[in-house]
Amino acid sequence: MKVKVVTKILEANERIALENRRLFDKSGVYVINLMSGPGAGKTSILEKTLSQAAGLRIGVIEGDIAGSDDAERIEQCGAPVVQINTGGACHLDANMIYEVLGELPLQDLNLLFIENVGNLVCPAEFKVGEDIKVMVLSIAEGHDKPLKYPLMFQESSALLLNKMDLAPYLDVDIEKIRRDALSLNPKLKIFEVSCKTGQGLPEWIDWLKETIMKR
Amino acid sequence: MKVKVVTKILEANERIALENRRLFDKSGVYVINLMSGPGAGKTSILEKTLSQAAGLRIGVIEGDIAGSDDAERIEQCGAPVVQINTGGACHLDANMIYEVLGELPLQDLNLLFIENVGNLVCPAEFKVGEDIKVMVLSIAEGHDKPLKYPLMFQESSALLLNKMDLAPYLDVDIEKIRRDALSLNPKLKIFEVSCKTGQGLPEWIDWLKETIMKR
Protein backbone atom coordinates (compact mmCIF):
# COMPACT_ATOMS: atom_id res chain seq x y z
CA MET A 1 0.00 0.00 0.00
CA LYS A 2 1.35 3.45 -0.93
CA VAL A 3 0.54 6.64 1.01
CA LYS A 4 0.96 10.01 -0.71
CA VAL A 5 0.72 13.36 1.05
CA VAL A 6 -0.58 16.34 -0.90
CA THR A 7 0.17 19.80 0.40
CA LYS A 8 -2.84 21.91 1.20
CA ILE A 9 -3.44 25.48 0.20
CA LEU A 10 -5.23 27.70 2.72
CA GLU A 11 -6.56 31.18 2.21
CA ALA A 12 -5.83 33.51 5.05
CA ASN A 13 -8.74 35.43 6.50
CA GLU A 14 -7.11 36.38 9.75
CA ARG A 15 -7.33 40.14 9.27
CA ILE A 16 -11.13 40.17 8.92
CA ALA A 17 -11.48 37.71 11.81
CA LEU A 18 -9.57 40.20 13.97
CA GLU A 19 -11.92 42.97 12.87
CA ASN A 20 -14.92 40.81 13.85
CA ARG A 21 -13.20 40.12 17.17
CA ARG A 22 -12.90 43.85 17.81
CA LEU A 23 -16.64 44.33 17.16
CA PHE A 24 -17.56 41.42 19.44
CA ASP A 25 -15.37 42.80 22.24
CA LYS A 26 -16.89 46.26 21.86
CA SER A 27 -20.37 44.76 22.25
CA GLY A 28 -19.36 42.44 25.09
CA VAL A 29 -20.68 39.38 23.32
CA TYR A 30 -19.09 35.96 23.71
CA VAL A 31 -18.90 34.06 20.41
CA ILE A 32 -18.93 30.32 19.78
CA ASN A 33 -18.16 28.79 16.38
CA LEU A 34 -20.30 25.61 16.39
CA MET A 35 -19.08 22.93 13.99
CA SER A 36 -19.85 19.32 12.99
CA GLY A 37 -20.36 17.03 10.02
CA PRO A 38 -23.76 17.05 8.31
CA GLY A 39 -26.67 15.90 10.43
CA ALA A 40 -24.80 15.60 13.74
CA GLY A 41 -27.45 17.71 15.47
CA LYS A 42 -26.05 21.24 15.82
CA THR A 43 -29.43 22.93 15.35
CA SER A 44 -31.17 20.56 17.75
CA ILE A 45 -28.54 21.35 20.37
CA LEU A 46 -29.06 25.07 19.79
CA GLU A 47 -32.84 24.66 20.18
CA LYS A 48 -32.35 22.86 23.49
CA THR A 49 -29.76 25.39 24.64
CA LEU A 50 -32.03 28.33 23.78
CA SER A 51 -34.92 26.85 25.72
CA GLN A 52 -32.93 25.69 28.74
CA ALA A 53 -30.22 28.34 29.24
CA ALA A 54 -32.23 30.73 31.39
CA GLY A 55 -30.60 34.12 31.84
CA LEU A 56 -28.49 34.05 28.69
CA ARG A 57 -29.39 36.40 25.84
CA ILE A 58 -28.40 34.37 22.80
CA GLY A 59 -28.24 35.25 19.10
CA VAL A 60 -27.49 32.90 16.22
CA ILE A 61 -25.89 33.10 12.78
CA GLU A 62 -26.83 30.09 10.66
CA GLY A 63 -24.52 28.96 7.86
CA ASP A 64 -25.76 26.63 5.14
CA ILE A 65 -24.98 25.98 1.50
CA ALA A 66 -28.66 26.52 0.69
CA GLY A 67 -32.00 26.96 2.41
CA SER A 68 -33.16 28.59 5.63
CA ASP A 69 -34.61 25.59 7.50
CA ASP A 70 -32.24 26.00 10.42
CA ALA A 71 -32.84 29.75 10.82
CA GLU A 72 -36.58 29.11 10.81
CA ARG A 73 -36.15 26.56 13.60
CA ILE A 74 -34.11 29.07 15.64
CA GLU A 75 -36.62 31.86 14.98
CA GLN A 76 -39.34 29.62 16.46
CA CYS A 77 -37.31 29.68 19.69
CA GLY A 78 -37.55 33.48 19.76
CA ALA A 79 -33.85 34.22 19.27
CA PRO A 80 -32.46 36.84 16.87
CA VAL A 81 -31.05 34.96 13.87
CA VAL A 82 -29.47 35.62 10.48
CA GLN A 83 -29.13 32.95 7.80
CA ILE A 84 -26.05 32.98 5.56
CA ASN A 85 -26.27 30.93 2.36
CA THR A 86 -22.73 30.26 1.17
CA GLY A 87 -23.91 29.44 -2.35
CA GLY A 88 -21.66 26.40 -2.50
CA ALA A 89 -18.76 27.24 -0.20
CA CYS A 90 -18.23 24.50 2.36
CA HIS A 91 -17.49 26.68 5.38
CA LEU A 92 -18.13 30.13 6.81
CA ASP A 93 -15.27 32.59 6.60
CA ALA A 94 -14.64 35.80 8.50
CA ASN A 95 -15.88 38.03 5.70
CA MET A 96 -19.27 36.30 5.48
CA ILE A 97 -19.72 36.93 9.20
CA TYR A 98 -18.54 40.54 8.89
CA GLU A 99 -21.16 41.20 6.21
CA VAL A 100 -24.10 40.15 8.42
CA LEU A 101 -23.07 41.54 11.81
CA GLY A 102 -25.11 44.70 11.22
CA GLU A 103 -28.28 42.58 11.16
CA LEU A 104 -27.92 41.43 14.77
CA PRO A 105 -28.50 43.38 18.02
CA LEU A 106 -24.99 42.58 19.31
CA GLN A 107 -25.22 45.03 22.23
CA ASP A 108 -28.27 43.19 23.60
CA LEU A 109 -26.63 39.75 23.49
CA ASN A 110 -24.20 38.04 25.79
CA LEU A 111 -23.72 34.97 23.61
CA LEU A 112 -23.62 34.53 19.84
CA PHE A 113 -23.57 31.07 18.27
CA ILE A 114 -22.24 30.83 14.72
CA GLU A 115 -23.56 27.52 13.38
CA ASN A 116 -21.13 26.58 10.63
CA VAL A 117 -21.83 24.59 7.46
CA GLY A 118 -22.09 20.86 8.20
CA ASN A 119 -18.55 19.73 7.37
CA LEU A 120 -15.98 18.04 9.60
CA VAL A 121 -13.04 19.53 7.69
CA CYS A 122 -12.86 23.11 6.39
CA PRO A 123 -14.78 25.02 9.08
CA ALA A 124 -11.97 24.20 11.53
CA GLU A 125 -9.46 26.00 9.28
CA PHE A 126 -11.19 29.37 9.04
CA LYS A 127 -11.37 31.67 12.05
CA VAL A 128 -14.41 33.92 12.08
CA GLY A 129 -13.46 35.96 15.16
CA GLU A 130 -14.89 33.52 17.72
CA ASP A 131 -13.82 33.17 21.36
CA ILE A 132 -13.95 29.38 21.18
CA LYS A 133 -14.89 26.56 18.84
CA VAL A 134 -17.28 23.82 19.96
CA MET A 135 -17.89 20.68 17.93
CA VAL A 136 -20.65 18.10 17.78
CA LEU A 137 -20.11 14.48 16.76
CA SER A 138 -23.04 12.14 16.27
CA ILE A 139 -22.01 8.80 17.72
CA ALA A 140 -23.64 7.21 14.64
CA GLU A 141 -20.65 8.54 12.64
CA GLY A 142 -18.39 5.96 14.29
CA HIS A 143 -15.40 5.92 16.60
CA ASP A 144 -12.74 6.44 13.89
CA LYS A 145 -13.52 10.14 13.46
CA PRO A 146 -10.97 11.81 15.80
CA LEU A 147 -7.95 10.25 14.08
CA LYS A 148 -9.39 10.80 10.57
CA TYR A 149 -10.42 14.44 11.10
CA PRO A 150 -7.89 15.56 13.73
CA LEU A 151 -7.91 19.33 13.21
CA MET A 152 -11.47 19.99 14.41
CA PHE A 153 -10.84 17.98 17.58
CA GLN A 154 -7.59 19.89 18.14
CA GLU A 155 -9.19 23.29 17.59
CA SER A 156 -12.30 22.78 19.73
CA SER A 157 -12.70 23.63 23.42
CA ALA A 158 -15.64 21.28 23.88
CA LEU A 159 -16.98 18.18 22.10
CA LEU A 160 -20.63 17.18 22.36
CA LEU A 161 -21.12 13.49 21.62
CA ASN A 162 -24.71 13.62 20.43
CA LYS A 163 -27.43 11.00 19.79
CA MET A 164 -26.31 9.01 22.83
CA ASP A 165 -29.81 7.47 22.81
CA LEU A 166 -28.66 5.42 19.77
CA ALA A 167 -25.73 3.81 21.65
CA PRO A 168 -27.50 0.45 22.24
CA TYR A 169 -28.06 0.03 18.47
CA LEU A 170 -24.56 0.95 17.24
CA ASP A 171 -21.21 -0.84 17.26
CA VAL A 172 -19.50 2.28 18.51
CA ASP A 173 -16.75 2.48 21.10
CA ILE A 174 -17.40 5.71 23.02
CA GLU A 175 -14.28 5.21 25.13
CA LYS A 176 -12.14 5.08 21.97
CA ILE A 177 -13.64 8.39 20.81
CA ARG A 178 -12.83 9.92 24.21
CA ARG A 179 -9.33 8.46 24.27
CA ASP A 180 -8.42 9.51 20.72
CA ALA A 181 -10.00 12.96 21.06
CA LEU A 182 -8.11 13.59 24.32
CA SER A 183 -4.86 12.34 22.78
CA LEU A 184 -5.29 15.06 20.12
CA ASN A 185 -6.42 17.68 22.60
CA PRO A 186 -5.91 16.91 26.32
CA LYS A 187 -7.88 20.02 27.37
CA LEU A 188 -11.00 19.07 25.39
CA LYS A 189 -14.17 19.07 27.53
CA ILE A 190 -16.42 16.18 26.45
CA PHE A 191 -20.18 15.94 27.02
CA GLU A 192 -22.33 12.90 26.19
CA VAL A 193 -25.71 14.31 25.21
CA SER A 194 -29.03 13.38 23.63
CA CYS A 195 -31.55 15.92 22.42
CA LYS A 196 -34.15 13.13 22.51
CA THR A 197 -33.74 12.10 26.16
CA GLY A 198 -32.16 15.31 27.50
CA GLN A 199 -29.07 13.42 28.71
CA GLY A 200 -26.10 15.67 29.43
CA LEU A 201 -27.74 18.96 28.44
CA PRO A 202 -27.76 20.49 31.96
CA GLU A 203 -24.01 19.80 32.29
CA TRP A 204 -23.36 21.38 28.87
CA ILE A 205 -25.38 24.49 29.75
CA ASP A 206 -23.71 24.84 33.16
CA TRP A 207 -20.31 24.67 31.47
CA LEU A 208 -21.42 27.24 28.91
CA LYS A 209 -22.45 29.72 31.60
CA GLU A 210 -19.24 29.20 33.56
CA THR A 211 -17.14 29.62 30.44
CA ILE A 212 -18.80 32.91 29.52
CA MET A 213 -18.54 34.26 33.06
CA LYS A 214 -14.88 33.49 33.59
CA ARG A 215 -13.58 34.82 30.29
CA MET B 1 -34.74 36.95 9.30
CA LYS B 2 -32.20 38.03 6.66
CA VAL B 3 -30.68 35.68 4.10
CA LYS B 4 -27.40 36.64 2.41
CA VAL B 5 -25.87 34.79 -0.51
CA VAL B 6 -22.09 34.73 -0.83
CA THR B 7 -20.57 33.88 -4.17
CA LYS B 8 -18.31 30.87 -4.21
CA ILE B 9 -14.92 30.57 -5.80
CA LEU B 10 -14.09 27.29 -7.49
CA GLU B 11 -10.79 26.10 -8.84
CA ALA B 12 -10.99 24.40 -12.17
CA ASN B 13 -9.35 21.04 -12.51
CA GLU B 14 -11.13 19.90 -15.64
CA ARG B 15 -8.02 19.53 -17.79
CA ILE B 16 -6.37 17.00 -15.47
CA ALA B 17 -9.68 15.17 -15.01
CA LEU B 18 -9.81 14.74 -18.79
CA GLU B 19 -6.26 13.38 -18.78
CA ASN B 20 -7.27 10.84 -16.09
CA ARG B 21 -10.33 9.98 -18.18
CA ARG B 22 -8.07 9.22 -21.16
CA LEU B 23 -5.95 6.86 -19.02
CA PHE B 24 -9.02 5.09 -17.65
CA ASP B 25 -10.43 4.62 -21.16
CA LYS B 26 -7.12 3.27 -22.40
CA SER B 27 -7.13 0.67 -19.61
CA GLY B 28 -10.81 -0.15 -20.01
CA VAL B 29 -11.55 0.51 -16.35
CA TYR B 30 -14.88 1.91 -15.17
CA VAL B 31 -14.44 4.54 -12.43
CA ILE B 32 -16.81 5.49 -9.61
CA ASN B 33 -16.27 8.54 -7.41
CA LEU B 34 -17.79 7.46 -4.07
CA MET B 35 -18.83 10.33 -1.83
CA SER B 36 -20.61 10.97 1.49
CA GLY B 37 -20.42 12.93 4.73
CA PRO B 38 -18.12 11.58 7.47
CA GLY B 39 -19.08 8.21 8.89
CA ALA B 40 -21.89 7.40 6.45
CA GLY B 41 -20.34 4.02 5.74
CA LYS B 42 -18.47 4.28 2.41
CA THR B 43 -15.69 1.89 3.44
CA SER B 44 -18.14 -0.65 4.87
CA ILE B 45 -20.06 -0.59 1.58
CA LEU B 46 -16.81 -1.13 -0.32
CA GLU B 47 -15.91 -4.07 1.93
CA LYS B 48 -19.30 -5.68 1.26
CA THR B 49 -19.07 -4.93 -2.45
CA LEU B 50 -15.58 -6.44 -2.71
CA SER B 51 -16.67 -9.64 -0.99
CA GLN B 52 -20.02 -10.02 -2.80
CA ALA B 53 -19.38 -8.78 -6.35
CA ALA B 54 -18.09 -12.04 -7.82
CA GLY B 55 -16.48 -11.66 -11.23
CA LEU B 56 -15.53 -8.00 -10.90
CA ARG B 57 -11.87 -7.09 -10.60
CA ILE B 58 -11.98 -4.03 -8.35
CA GLY B 59 -9.30 -1.56 -7.26
CA VAL B 60 -9.66 1.25 -4.74
CA ILE B 61 -8.15 4.69 -4.16
CA GLU B 62 -8.79 5.86 -0.60
CA GLY B 63 -8.91 9.58 0.16
CA ASP B 64 -8.57 10.85 3.73
CA ILE B 65 -7.26 13.93 5.44
CA ALA B 66 -5.02 11.72 7.58
CA GLY B 67 -4.43 8.09 8.36
CA SER B 68 -4.63 4.85 6.41
CA ASP B 69 -7.33 2.96 8.35
CA ASP B 70 -9.59 2.68 5.32
CA ALA B 71 -6.87 1.43 2.98
CA GLU B 72 -5.91 -1.20 5.56
CA ARG B 73 -9.54 -2.37 5.68
CA ILE B 74 -9.61 -2.62 1.87
CA GLU B 75 -6.26 -4.42 1.75
CA GLN B 76 -7.72 -7.06 4.09
CA CYS B 77 -10.27 -7.75 1.33
CA GLY B 78 -7.44 -8.54 -1.08
CA ALA B 79 -8.03 -5.62 -3.46
CA PRO B 80 -5.27 -3.38 -4.85
CA VAL B 81 -5.47 -0.07 -2.97
CA VAL B 82 -3.65 3.25 -2.69
CA GLN B 83 -4.20 5.68 0.16
CA ILE B 84 -4.07 9.42 -0.54
CA ASN B 85 -3.66 11.71 2.47
CA THR B 86 -4.79 15.17 1.46
CA GLY B 87 -2.92 16.81 4.35
CA GLY B 88 -5.92 18.99 5.18
CA ALA B 89 -7.73 19.43 1.87
CA CYS B 90 -11.39 18.51 2.18
CA HIS B 91 -11.78 16.71 -1.15
CA LEU B 92 -9.84 14.78 -3.76
CA ASP B 93 -9.00 16.65 -6.95
CA ALA B 94 -7.99 15.36 -10.35
CA ASN B 95 -4.29 16.00 -9.80
CA MET B 96 -4.15 13.94 -6.61
CA ILE B 97 -5.65 11.03 -8.53
CA TYR B 98 -3.28 11.57 -11.47
CA GLU B 99 -0.29 11.34 -9.13
CA VAL B 100 -1.20 7.88 -7.81
CA LEU B 101 -2.50 6.17 -10.96
CA GLY B 102 0.90 4.61 -11.62
CA GLU B 103 0.59 2.67 -8.36
CA LEU B 104 -2.45 0.66 -9.50
CA PRO B 105 -2.64 -2.21 -12.02
CA LEU B 106 -5.28 -0.41 -14.11
CA GLN B 107 -5.08 -2.90 -17.01
CA ASP B 108 -6.06 -5.76 -14.70
CA LEU B 109 -9.12 -3.99 -13.28
CA ASN B 110 -12.60 -3.50 -14.64
CA LEU B 111 -13.79 -1.25 -11.82
CA LEU B 112 -11.99 1.41 -9.78
CA PHE B 113 -13.64 3.00 -6.75
CA ILE B 114 -12.29 6.37 -5.65
CA GLU B 115 -13.46 6.81 -2.05
CA ASN B 116 -13.48 10.56 -1.51
CA VAL B 117 -12.87 12.47 1.74
CA GLY B 118 -15.92 12.33 4.02
CA ASN B 119 -17.60 15.62 3.16
CA LEU B 120 -21.08 16.25 1.76
CA VAL B 121 -20.01 19.46 -0.01
CA CYS B 122 -16.72 19.93 -1.88
CA PRO B 123 -16.13 16.46 -3.35
CA ALA B 124 -19.19 16.98 -5.57
CA GLU B 125 -17.54 20.04 -7.13
CA PHE B 126 -14.28 18.45 -8.29
CA LYS B 127 -14.26 15.97 -11.15
CA VAL B 128 -11.49 13.41 -10.94
CA GLY B 129 -12.12 11.74 -14.31
CA GLU B 130 -14.81 9.34 -13.09
CA ASP B 131 -17.56 7.73 -15.19
CA ILE B 132 -20.17 8.31 -12.50
CA LYS B 133 -20.54 9.60 -8.97
CA VAL B 134 -22.28 7.52 -6.31
CA MET B 135 -23.18 8.90 -2.89
CA VAL B 136 -23.93 7.36 0.48
CA LEU B 137 -26.19 8.97 3.07
CA SER B 138 -26.52 7.50 6.54
CA ILE B 139 -30.18 7.77 7.51
CA ALA B 140 -28.95 8.88 10.97
CA GLU B 141 -27.97 12.20 9.33
CA GLY B 142 -31.64 13.12 8.98
CA HIS B 143 -34.12 13.77 6.19
CA ASP B 144 -33.19 17.43 5.61
CA LYS B 145 -29.95 16.61 3.80
CA PRO B 146 -31.04 16.65 0.11
CA LEU B 147 -32.33 20.23 0.25
CA LYS B 148 -29.39 21.46 2.37
CA TYR B 149 -26.66 19.81 0.27
CA PRO B 150 -28.29 19.74 -3.16
CA LEU B 151 -25.24 19.51 -5.43
CA MET B 152 -24.10 16.03 -4.42
CA PHE B 153 -27.61 14.65 -4.94
CA GLN B 154 -27.76 16.37 -8.35
CA GLU B 155 -24.36 15.07 -9.45
CA SER B 156 -24.79 11.46 -8.35
CA SER B 157 -26.12 8.58 -10.44
CA ALA B 158 -26.98 6.48 -7.40
CA LEU B 159 -27.73 7.13 -3.73
CA LEU B 160 -27.22 4.45 -1.10
CA LEU B 161 -29.32 5.12 2.00
CA ASN B 162 -27.17 3.28 4.53
CA LYS B 163 -27.69 2.11 8.13
CA MET B 164 -31.31 1.17 7.38
CA ASP B 165 -31.10 -1.12 10.43
CA LEU B 166 -31.29 2.04 12.60
CA ALA B 167 -34.63 3.16 11.11
CA PRO B 168 -36.74 1.97 14.09
CA TYR B 169 -34.69 4.15 16.47
CA LEU B 170 -34.62 7.37 14.44
CA ASP B 171 -37.21 10.07 13.72
CA VAL B 172 -36.31 10.02 10.06
CA ASP B 173 -38.69 10.28 7.13
CA ILE B 174 -37.19 8.02 4.43
CA GLU B 175 -39.92 8.97 1.97
CA LYS B 176 -39.03 12.65 2.34
CA ILE B 177 -35.39 11.85 1.54
CA ARG B 178 -36.52 9.95 -1.57
CA ARG B 179 -38.94 12.68 -2.62
CA ASP B 180 -36.49 15.56 -2.15
CA ALA B 181 -33.59 13.68 -3.72
CA LEU B 182 -35.69 12.78 -6.77
CA SER B 183 -36.95 16.35 -7.07
CA LEU B 184 -33.30 17.43 -7.36
CA ASN B 185 -32.37 14.56 -9.67
CA PRO B 186 -35.24 12.56 -11.22
CA LYS B 187 -32.82 9.97 -12.67
CA LEU B 188 -31.22 9.15 -9.30
CA LYS B 189 -31.24 5.42 -8.51
CA ILE B 190 -31.88 4.91 -4.78
CA PHE B 191 -30.95 1.83 -2.74
CA GLU B 192 -31.89 1.25 0.90
CA VAL B 193 -29.02 -0.74 2.38
CA SER B 194 -27.56 -1.98 5.64
CA CYS B 195 -24.05 -3.37 5.96
CA LYS B 196 -25.15 -4.92 9.26
CA THR B 197 -28.14 -6.92 7.98
CA GLY B 198 -27.17 -7.12 4.30
CA GLN B 199 -30.41 -5.41 3.23
CA GLY B 200 -30.29 -4.06 -0.33
CA LEU B 201 -26.70 -5.07 -1.11
CA PRO B 202 -27.57 -7.66 -3.80
CA GLU B 203 -29.69 -5.06 -5.63
CA TRP B 204 -26.84 -2.53 -5.45
CA ILE B 205 -24.31 -5.04 -6.78
CA ASP B 206 -26.63 -6.16 -9.60
CA TRP B 207 -27.08 -2.52 -10.63
CA LEU B 208 -23.32 -1.99 -10.48
CA LYS B 209 -22.65 -4.91 -12.82
CA GLU B 210 -25.36 -3.80 -15.25
CA THR B 211 -24.05 -0.24 -15.25
CA ILE B 212 -20.51 -1.33 -16.06
CA MET B 213 -21.65 -3.70 -18.79
CA LYS B 214 -23.89 -1.27 -20.64
CA ARG B 215 -21.51 1.70 -20.71
Side-chain angles (χ1 to χ4, degrees), chain B residues 137 142-150 153 176-177 180-181 184:
Chain B
L137 183 75
H143 48 242
D144 56 354
K145 294 298 156 299
L147 299 185
K148 290 177 76 173
Y149 300 86
F153 292 85
K176 179 172 165 55
I177 297 178
D180 290 346
L184 291 165

Side-chain angles (χ1 to χ4, degrees), chain A residues 1-9 11 37-40 42-43 64-73 75 81-90 93 96 99-100 103 115 117-122 125 138 140-142 144-145 147-150 163 165-166 169-171 196, chain B residues 1-9 11 37-40 42-43 64-73 75 81-90 93 96 99-100 103 115 117-122 125 138 140-142 144-145 147-150 163 165-166 169-171 196:
Chain A
M1 186 205 321
K2 303 284 168 48
V3 180
K4 297 247 172 181
V5 179
V6 179
T7 312
K8 72 174 173 176
I9 298 156
E11 296 161 66
K42 293 184 296 305
T43 313
D64 280 294
I65 305 288
S68 58
D69 287 14
D70 291 350
E72 284 158 24
R73 288 170 62 187
E75 202 163 46
V81 59
V82 182
Q83 175 81 51
I84 293 175
N85 278 171
T86 65
C90 59
D93 65 26
M96 298 178 194
E99 286 184 27
V100 302
E103 317 282 355
E115 184 183 332
V117 177
N119 179 340
L120 216 43
V121 188
C122 320
E125 300 177 349
S138 158
E141 294 174 57
D144 56 354
K145 294 299 155 299
L147 299 185
K148 289 177 75 172
Y149 300 86
K163 310 197 189 184
D165 54 284
L166 293 177
Y169 316 114
L170 299 168
D171 297 322
K196 205 173 237 178
Chain B
M1 186 204 322
K2 304 285 168 49
V3 180
K4 299 247 172 180
V5 179
V6 180
T7 312
K8 72 174 172 176
I9 299 157
E11 297 162 66
K42 293 184 297 304
T43 312
D64 280 293
I65 305 288
S68 57
D69 287 13
D70 291 350
E72 284 158 25
R73 289 170 61 186
E75 202 163 47
V81 59
V82 182
Q83 174 81 52
I84 295 174
N85 279 171
T86 65
C90 60
D93 64 26
M96 298 178 194
E99 286 185 27
V100 302
E103 316 283 354
E115 184 182 333
V117 178
N119 179 340
L120 217 42
V121 188
C122 320
E125 300 177 348
S138 157
E141 293 174 58
D144 56 354
K145 294 298 156 299
L147 299 185
K148 290 177 76 173
Y149 300 86
K163 309 196 189 184
D165 54 286
L166 292 177
Y169 316 112
L170 298 168
D171 298 323
K196 204 173 238 177

Side-chain angles (χ1 to χ4, degrees), chain A residues 71-115:
Chain A
E72 284 158 24
R73 288 170 62 187
I74 296 300
E75 202 163 46
Q76 291 288 319
C77 302
V81 59
V82 182
Q83 175 81 51
I84 293 175
N85 278 171
T86 65
C90 59
H91 58 272
L92 294 173
D93 65 26
N95 194 50
M96 298 178 194
I97 300 302
Y98 183 80
E99 286 184 27
V100 302
L101 285 183
E103 317 282 355
L104 283 168
L106 288 185
Q107 287 78 358
D108 302 340
L109 303 176
N110 41 31
L111 175 59
L112 173 65
F113 278 107
I114 298 175
E115 184 183 332

